[in-house]
Amino acid sequence: MYSFEKRNLSPMLFEEAKDVFNSPDYLYELKFDGIRCLAYLDEATELINKRGKILNQTYPELKNLHQNVKVKMLLDGELLLIKNGKPDFYALQRRSLMTDPFKIKIQTNINPVIYVAFDLLYLKDKFLIDTPLLERKKLLQENVQESKDLIISKYIKENGQKLFQVVKEMKLEGIVAKKKDSHYYPGKRSSVWLKIKIYEEDDLIICGYIPKENVIDLILGRYLDGKIIRAGSVVTGKFKQQIINYAKNNPSIPLFPEKENVIWMVPKLVGRVRYMMKTKEGGLRQPVFMGVRDDKFAEDLLN
């Protein structure tokens, strides 16, 4: 039995869809690049992440969210840090790791965090998890006053492909599709809530690898002004033996400074990598190794 006072409800989870689609049965929203967070609003505000950790001390600028509502309620949403008009997950992650109260206070002015609410799970004295999603959305809109710290997520009906294209052009993370009549299943993953991420693919040079248990961590490179520079890393198990055999027959001197022991190889093999976006440091976010290209070598990437 869920209890507002015991704070014992976990956020509902998304399944991942491979392709975007249109459907009159679904509504579509932005997939926010933030930290999932439940907001318990009563006489005070209590923010709890999906692992059950209280976040109030980490984000003190959100301590008065309860002043945006007139009745007791539980919101589901995400913490976002906006920079240059877009969510910046890495800046948010740096803030999430801070523990020094003085540094946190400084950051509340330099890099303030906002709360984006996309669902209403409890209102006045009743849980709404068995209430259809569209009705919960309506109640959310009626009972929450937006402010600079608290924003309600907007959605569109039916046309997921159009929203996906706009989000792709803006280089955002993706969209979510939710069945309009869906109930809320705490702590469970369900196909009535789908996340559709935007991925990129690139051909990168395999420069070496770090042996791991049952897999290898590939050190990747790319050309910049005719020289190979580091381009992140990606784990593979399926192509492990092929790459190990090549490295054994084609050893190389170190190409980049690395903290771990790397087995370096002549930078000739090219791998296809799928990833969400490039990081500011030049790495790859959520990379997946698709395979070794047998029709292309490193020198082909110069053109």
Side-chain angles (χ1 to χ4, degrees):
M1 182 67 69
Y2 301 112
S3 166
F4 185 94
E5 285 69 29
K6 291 181 180 179
R7 313 291 202 250
N8 61 351
L9 184 143
S10 298
M12 180 174 169
L13 305 174
F14 292 84
E15 288 191 2
E16 185 163 358
K18 292 183 179 179
D19 299 304
V20 65
F21 60 93
N22 292 338
S23 172
D25 298 326
Y26 282 78
L27 57 83
Y28 301 88
E29 299 174 82
L30 291 179
K31 185 182 186 303
F32 298 107
D33 200 5
I35 293 175
R36 188 76 175 275
C37 180
L38 297 178
Y40 287 84
L41 309 180
D42 193 1
E43 295 178 355
T45 296
E46 188 163 66
L47 304 173
I48 300 179
N49 70 10
K50 61 184 179 182
R51 291 192 174 93
K53 181 182 177 182
I54 298 174
L55 303 178
N56 290 46
Q57 291 184 346
T58 308
Y59 309 107
E61 64 267 44
L62 301 179
K63 65 182 180 181
N64 292 322
L65 292 186
H66 61 284
Q67 295 180 0
N68 293 65
V69 304
K70 295 181 179 179
V71 295
K72 183 162 67 172
M73 66 178 63
L74 169 58
L75 303 177
D76 189 3
E78 293 219 11
L79 301 171
L80 294 185
L81 196 158
I82 306 296
K83 297 190 80 171
N84 301 318
K86 295 181 181 180
D88 188 328
F89 179 76
Y90 295 101
L92 178 62
Q93 194 173 46
R94 286 193 293 272
R95 275 216 52 188
S96 73
L97 298 174
M98 289 184 173
T99 56
D100 185 304
F102 179 71
K103 291 182 179 179
I104 290 173
K105 184 174 177 58
I106 292 174
Q107 285 297 310
T108 61
N109 296 316
I110 300 174
N111 290 311
V113 169
I114 63 171
Y115 187 81
V116 180
F118 53 70
D119 213 332
L120 177 60
L121 309 181
Y122 183 96
L123 182 65
K124 295 181 182 177
D125 57 0
K126 179 184 177 183
F127 277 100
L128 303 177
I129 58 177
D130 292 325
T131 302
L133 175 62
L134 267 184
E135 189 174 339
R136 300 200 307 270
K137 289 281 193 184
K138 183 173 180 289
L139 291 169
L140 175 64
Q141 197 74 46
E142 291 172 350
N143 288 278
V144 173
Q145 179 67 44
E146 290 187 296
S147 68
K148 66 179 180 64
D149 301 317
L150 175 56
I151 296 171
I152 298 173
S153 173
K154 307 301 185 289
Y155 64 87
I156 66 169
K157 297 178 181 179
E158 298 189 22
N159 202 336
Q161 291 175 334
K162 182 177 180 180
L163 179 61
F164 187 83
Q165 187 58 40
V166 171
V167 167
K168 189 173 183 178
E169 290 171 2
M170 294 178 67
K171 297 187 180 299
L172 299 177
E173 188 181 9
I175 67 172
V176 296
K178 300 175 182 177
K179 211 161 187 183
K180 292 191 293 188
D181 61 355
S182 61
H183 292 184
Y184 192 94
Y185 304 108
K188 295 181 180 179
R189 202 175 298 278
S190 173
S191 60
V192 297
W193 278 24
L194 298 169
K195 57 185 176 183
I196 309 166
K197 296 180 180 179
I198 293 171
Y199 289 101
E200 298 181 47
E201 289 191 6
D202 210 351
D203 290 327
L204 297 168
I205 305 163
I206 303 171
C207 301
Y209 69 88
I210 300 170
K212 305 283 186 180
E213 187 176 354
N214 300 321
V215 296
I216 54 176
D217 192 1
L218 303 181
I219 306 300
L220 304 172
R222 63 181 176 87
Y223 280 110
L224 179 65
D225 298 329
K227 294 182 179 180
I228 297 176
I229 64 169
R230 201 183 193 287
S233 63
V234 64
V235 169
T236 183
K238 182 178 179 181
F239 299 92
K240 171 183 173 182
Q241 201 56 51
Q242 178 184 358
I243 293 167
I244 288 176
N245 291 341
Y246 175 84
K248 185 177 180 180
N249 295 321
N250 300 274
S252 171
I253 60 172
L255 299 176
F256 321 117
E258 292 288 334
K259 294 180 181 178
E260 298 185 70
N261 292 325
V262 177
I263 308 298
W264 296 100
M265 63 184 75
V266 174
K268 185 175 182 180
L269 292 184
V270 171
R272 188 74 171 171
V273 182
R274 188 180 73 169
Y275 57 94
M276 283 195 62
M277 61 183 71
K278 292 178 181 176
T279 68
K280 292 179 180 178
E281 294 76 24
L284 306 174
R285 186 170 175 192
Q286 296 185 21
V288 176
F289 190 71
M290 309 298 288
V292 177
R293 295 288 301 261
D294 57 9
D295 60 339
K296 188 178 286 190
F297 293 112
E299 55 265 29
D300 297 319
L301 303 184
L302 277 167
N303 301 322

